[in-house]
Amino acid sequence: MSQKSAEYTNDLIHESSPYLLQHAHNPVNWKAWNDAVLEEAQEKNKLLLISVGYSACHWCHVMEHESFEDEAVAEIMNSNYVCIKVDREERPDIDQVYMNAVQVMTGMGGWPMNVVALPDGRPVWGGTYFRKEQWKDALKQIAHLYKNQPEKMIDYADQLEKGLQQIQIIEPNQDLNSFHRDFFIPIIEKWKRSFDSKNGGYQRSPKFMMPNNFEFLMRYAHQNSDKELMEHCLLTLDKISWGGVYDPIEGGFSRYSVDERWHVPHFEKMLYDNAQLVRLYSKAYKITKDDWYKEVVEDTLNFIASEMTDPSNAFYSALDADSENDKGVKEEGAYYVWTKPQLQDILKDDFQLFSEYYNINNYGKWEENNYVLIRTKKRETIASEFEITLDELKKRIHECHKKLKKEKSKREKPGLDDKSLTSWNALMISGYCEAYKAFGKREYLEVAVNSAGFILKNQIQKNGRLYHSYKNGKSSINGYLEDYAFTISAFLDLYETTFDLKYLEKSEELFEIVRKDFYDETSELYFFTSAQDRPLVTKTIEISDNVIPASNSEMAKNLFRFGKLTGNNSHVERAEKMLHNITDKIPEYPQSHSNWLDLMMNFSFPFYEIAITGENFKKTARVFLEKYLPNTVIAATNLDSDLALLKDRLVKGKDLIYICKEGSCQLPVENVSDAMPLISEV
């Protein structure tokens, strides 16, 4: 059988996850991960087959179509295994545990991820995508081995379990010497050797944007006046936003590029990428005042508002890579690509200009005569070549975009993953806050405040703990460390833009839950899963910064910021201890520790607290917010305040600015122009 059929319905029909629902009519007897299913496997002594993916994953769809919709494959799976489908976005804890196992077993990972585990959940075999015949053969062999020589699999599970536990051991660092800026010099030199000086980013493909990497590198370059490093960061931002990974017609970024020049994307659009890239381009605008970065942010936030925001002020998770082409066949990228005749027909007299602007030539060609739009020249250069003004060029290209957007509206849109995740929503709130800081658009701050309202209303349980997921008006799944880390970060961002104390108060409440539910006394870091949840085969401690920063590095930065804002030095010391405990891991692979390095800069370079008081406190703060000041926190008020940074600093009838360092403040000044020289970058 090669097509889905309504004659099959499995237990996934009762789930809310779009990814799980996609498999609800497979002939495979899929079940969701829950206590009852795990207990059933142990009672029947059946192997677990755990298949992990997500709704926007192209190869997940391919394997479903080839194998999971096939009756013969389903027969093998159903007869020998308890088959469990997992949405990795709903259950990142399960994904982490089994991804670690697959990487240990095979040296690589990815999605779909397929793992066979003993009835007690301990993994014994795994991999990613398998062709149908490979998959059938492997499952038959494993089932045969378990039936005839189960002790071999149990021995292997024992060994693998010890190896996985070893990975999680993080010894506390007893060397508590102060952090020093010299630590960065060899790390940055090593990092530079991996740069792609032609296309930006790193010398590799596929190419992921890695926004946190470039947020740190941009800060380091700025504070150390490293012109070469700053040029590479800005080259990377230019090339990403000129490439096919950025959608110039509707805004927003795809997940990654399959080639080295950011041309052909893996067409799925994820909320977490767009959230972080909005923040990165907003910060780049603060440094450069380059209007192109402003356009990228504005168009991306227009995309988020129109396609990724639900009526309750929550943000959806993702848009699929696949949609129907003009022949009614699902195809990756069908919604985004163009043929030359299509463009000529739609754009008419402007085709030649558009063709030069977006390389409708061999450079921009993808496959089957389809083109993915990619720029290679500055707009000024093209305007000069066509002997028109820059404004005329912008106007004509904008008109082309409008025509193509209208044409795209006739196409079937990619599938929407309409669940909302607390952690990703929090990242998007931080993105909106940074855009507000950079551009001063009140509506951006309003979206951030309203979205925080969604979390406060829907995603906080009666006991004060966070939920992880939300769909169709229902919140579910106890929160993970990532939910707390990014929510606290978003609330701190909201405090530093609104100066509403409720965000600090709510952050403090969440810090206390994190301490009670997640703290690991051995490593002095935090587990990814709550002590309230059923334990998995191993408990993970997430310390590596990836496309999304590690939950521990984000928590450490939160502790530092909160401590500086409130004068609670124990929080700052806690952040410092966490950083010490992972410092020895940084030099080997700094790209996986960029968020930690950003925190280390706070300890290694001057860091300032800015306190603003007086009736015009918001107007004064606005001037600071639009500047690039990564080595500061800001507190402001027009009232008497008990906040340590503001206490006893209000003088009636005066607008005052205090520049403080480690709680010690210089004499107040009344003008931003007098305050700025007091803030040193090095």
Side-chain angles (χ1 to χ4, degrees):
M1 179 171 180
S2 61
Q3 292 186 330
K4 291 187 187 181
S5 169
E7 69 185 88
Y8 298 110
T9 303
N10 56 48
D11 286 2
L12 299 186
I13 197 69
H14 304 297
E15 297 301 310
S16 61
S17 157
Y19 177 65
L20 299 186
L21 288 169
Q22 285 166 10
H23 296 78
H25 296 293
N26 293 166
V28 177
N29 186 21
W30 290 119
K31 297 177 184 296
W33 182 284
N34 58 55
D35 290 353
V37 171
L38 298 174
E39 284 156 15
E40 176 196 334
Q42 290 195 282
E43 285 168 14
K44 294 182 177 177
N45 195 30
K46 275 183 102 170
L47 292 170
L48 296 170
L49 195 159
I50 303 158
S51 182
V52 184
Y54 58 101
S55 69
C57 166
H58 172 70
W59 287 102
C60 299
H61 298 323
V62 172
M63 190 163 175
E64 180 196 10
H65 181 63
E66 291 176 348
S67 295
F68 304 149
E69 293 175 4
D70 185 283
E71 288 177 327
V73 175
E75 172 60 28
I76 296 167
M77 292 171 66
N78 295 337
S79 300
N80 299 288
Y81 302 89
V82 173
C83 301
I84 299 177
K85 254 290 164 199
V86 176
D87 180 339
R88 68 173 292 256
E89 296 165 358
E90 270 199 339
R91 295 300 305 263
D93 55 335
I94 298 168
D95 181 58
Q96 278 189 15
V97 165
Y98 290 107
M99 183 59 74
N100 286 342
V102 168
Q103 288 174 332
V104 167
M105 289 187 282
T106 69
M108 58 187 290
W111 299 277
M113 173 174 64
N114 294 286
V115 173
V116 173
L118 295 178
D120 62 9
R122 290 183 298 158
V124 291
W125 178 86
T128 54
Y129 165 77
F130 294 90
R131 294 191 305 276
K132 182 165 76 173
E133 292 308 314
Q134 280 181 308
W135 181 240
K136 286 166 65 177
D137 290 347
L139 294 186
K140 287 177 188 172
Q141 288 174 33
I142 294 164
H144 179 78
L145 182 63
Y146 188 62
K147 184 178 178 182
N148 294 289
Q149 295 177 293
E151 68 282 352
K152 280 194 173 182
M153 293 176 74
I154 292 166
D155 286 346
Y156 181 70
D158 289 342
Q159 294 169 32
L160 183 58
E161 183 182 21
K162 286 174 188 168
L164 291 171
Q165 288 170 346
Q166 198 69 29
I167 291 171
Q168 298 305 319
I169 294 173
I170 298 163
E171 299 285 351
N173 187 351
Q174 302 306 322
D175 178 10
L176 299 181
N177 289 332
S178 297
F179 300 112
H180 195 276
R181 63 190 65 182
D182 288 350
F183 181 84
F184 293 87
I185 295 170
I187 282 171
I188 296 297
E189 287 307 311
K190 179 180 181 178
W191 211 320
K192 286 179 178 178
R193 291 195 289 275
S194 69
F195 288 167
D196 179 343
S197 59
K198 180 182 177 185
N199 299 298
Y202 302 121
Q203 297 169 33
R204 63 181 184 224
S205 62
K207 267 187 159 145
F208 289 83
M209 276 75 105
M210 306 304 289
N212 187 257
N213 277 196
F214 288 95
E215 202 167 305
F216 160 69
L217 291 171
M218 202 161 67
R219 175 183 176 183
Y220 183 86
H222 177 79
Q223 286 190 232
N224 290 276
S225 302
D226 188 330
K227 188 168 178 284
E228 176 195 21
L229 181 57
M230 182 60 80
E231 284 175 355
H232 182 76
C233 291
L234 299 178
L235 170 73
T236 300
L237 266 63
D238 287 344
K239 292 292 188 178
I240 288 172
S241 56
W242 288 8
V245 289
Y246 176 67
D247 179 355
I249 310 301
E250 292 184 286
F253 295 86
S254 295
R255 189 163 153 249
Y256 64 87
S257 165
V258 301
D259 53 64
E260 74 285 350
R261 54 195 175 105
W262 309 104
H263 180 212
V264 178
H266 199 26
F267 288 91
E268 61 214 347
K269 287 182 176 178
M270 313 300 294
L271 182 68
Y272 60 77
D273 285 317
N274 285 280
Q276 293 179 94
L277 287 163
V278 161
R279 191 165 80 170
L280 179 63
Y281 279 84
S282 296
K283 289 185 176 183
Y285 175 81
K286 286 184 179 182
I287 294 169
T288 64
K289 295 295 186 271
D290 185 332
D291 281 339
W292 171 243
Y293 297 155
K294 184 179 182 181
E295 286 178 45
V296 167
V297 171
E298 289 176 341
D299 288 349
T300 299
L301 290 180
N302 286 339
F303 158 72
I304 294 295
S306 65
E307 303 296 331
M308 302 287 280
T309 307
D310 93 345
S312 66
N313 300 308
F315 301 110
Y316 300 131
S317 292
L319 280 177
D320 206 335
D322 301 353
S323 59
E324 284 186 9
N325 62 18
D326 54 6
K327 298 180 182 67
V329 178
K330 281 228 170 192
E331 188 174 74
E332 187 179 7
Y335 183 69
Y336 300 98
V337 299
W338 305 92
T339 64
K340 193 171 182 178
Q342 284 174 332
L343 292 170
Q344 288 170 326
D345 182 53
I346 297 162
L347 302 178
K348 310 242 175 344
D349 292 346
D350 277 328
F351 172 75
Q352 190 181 351
L353 176 66
F354 187 89
S355 175
E356 189 63 30
Y357 193 89
Y358 282 119
N359 286 286
I360 310 304
N361 51 36
N362 283 337
Y363 188 86
K365 199 176 211 178
W366 177 32
E367 58 187 25
E368 296 181 15
N369 294 317
N370 285 315
Y371 291 84
V372 177
L373 307 183
I374 181 170
R375 286 175 55 195
T376 49
K377 295 178 183 176
K378 286 187 175 293
R379 293 190 284 195
E380 291 81 357
T381 304
I382 293 174
S384 175
E385 287 174 357
F386 279 79
E387 298 180 345
I388 57 177
T389 66
L390 183 59
D391 283 345
E392 175 69 11
L393 173 76
K394 288 180 182 178
K395 185 180 174 186
R396 286 174 64 181
I397 293 297
H398 180 66
E399 287 303 311
C400 291
H401 288 168
K402 281 170 67 176
K403 290 176 183 176
L404 293 176
K405 188 173 182 178
K406 186 178 178 183
E407 189 65 27
K408 276 177 83 176
S409 70
K410 301 172 188 174
R411 297 177 175 182
E412 184 196 83
K413 285 189 175 183
L416 173 70
D417 187 329
D418 59 353
K419 70 176 179 294
S420 298
L421 302 175
T422 302
S423 51
W424 296 6
N425 272 246
L427 283 169
M428 197 67 244
I429 291 169
S430 291
Y432 269 104
C433 284
E434 196 59 48
Y436 167 71
K437 290 178 189 177
F439 311 118
K441 284 194 172 184
R442 189 77 198 169
E443 60 263 38
Y444 292 163
L445 184 58
E446 287 168 1
V447 172
V449 168
N450 291 338
S451 299
F454 158 78
I455 291 177
L456 291 169
K457 180 184 175 185
N458 297 287
Q459 297 304 92
I460 295 184
Q461 304 172 39
K462 288 180 181 176
N463 59 19
R465 292 179 171 88
L466 289 171
Y467 284 113
H468 174 63
S469 187
Y470 174 89
K471 181 153 187 291
N472 297 336
K474 185 184 175 190
S475 304
S476 62
I477 305 174
N478 193 32
Y480 303 105
L481 184 61
E482 66 173 32
D483 296 304
Y484 289 88
F486 294 119
T487 298
I488 292 170
S489 183
F491 286 174
L492 295 179
D493 288 336
L494 278 163
Y495 172 73
E496 289 196 70
T497 44
T498 65
F499 307 108
D500 186 336
L501 284 169
K502 79 176 180 188
Y503 295 114
L504 289 184
E505 291 160 3
K506 186 52 69 175
S507 295
E508 190 162 32
E509 291 171 19
L510 295 177
F511 274 127
E512 181 57 21
I513 291 167
V514 169
R515 185 190 66 77
K516 286 194 293 194
D517 287 2
F518 294 88
Y519 187 61
D520 173 40
E521 290 185 2
T522 304
S523 67
E524 299 173 313
L525 297 166
Y526 298 100
F527 287 119
F528 188 76
T529 48
S530 168
Q532 306 294 316
D533 296 331
R534 176 179 175 140
L536 299 175
V537 289
T538 55
K539 286 194 84 170
T540 57
I541 295 174
E542 186 185 47
I543 60 170
S544 293
D545 299 317
N546 204 304
V547 173
I548 299 176
S551 44
N552 268 287
S553 65
E554 195 69 13
M555 274 305 302
K557 283 175 73 171
N558 290 339
L559 286 161
F560 179 90
R561 286 174 72 192
F562 187 82
K564 289 295 184 182
L565 284 165
T566 61
N568 187 334
N569 205 47
S570 65
H571 283 68
V572 177
E573 289 169 359
R574 176 97 277 293
E576 188 174 17
K577 182 62 181 161
M578 291 174 72
L579 180 56
H580 269 295
N581 288 349
I582 66 93
T583 299
D584 62 345
K585 299 181 184 299
I586 295 175
E588 186 179 354
Y589 199 61
Q591 289 96 323
S592 289
H593 299 91
S594 52
N595 212 35
W596 293 106
L597 284 164
D598 190 72
L599 173 62
M600 191 182 286
M601 284 194 72
N602 295 347
F603 290 106
S604 310
F605 292 80
F607 193 92
Y608 299 91
E609 304 96 45
I610 301 170
I612 299 167
T613 62
E615 286 308 308
N616 296 303
F617 74 105
K618 286 194 173 178
K619 185 178 177 184
T620 306
R622 173 79 228 137
V623 183
F624 283 103
L625 292 176
E626 66 190 18
K627 295 180 184 297
Y628 183 66
L629 299 170
N631 57 331
T632 63
V633 291
I634 301 179
T637 189
N638 61 346
L639 303 169
D640 287 319
S641 175
D642 288 330
L643 194 67
L645 199 48
L646 298 171
K647 193 174 176 64
D648 300 327
R649 299 229 157 95
L650 184 70
V651 177
K652 197 170 182 183
K654 285 197 170 186
D655 293 314
L656 297 176
I657 303 164
Y658 298 81
I659 304 299
C660 314
K661 194 174 173 188
E662 296 182 4
S664 175
C665 298
Q666 302 196 41
L667 290 172
V669 296
E670 296 187 37
N671 299 304
V672 175
S673 57
D674 294 326
M676 284 305 297
L678 304 177
I679 300 172
S680 165
E681 287 161 356
V682 292

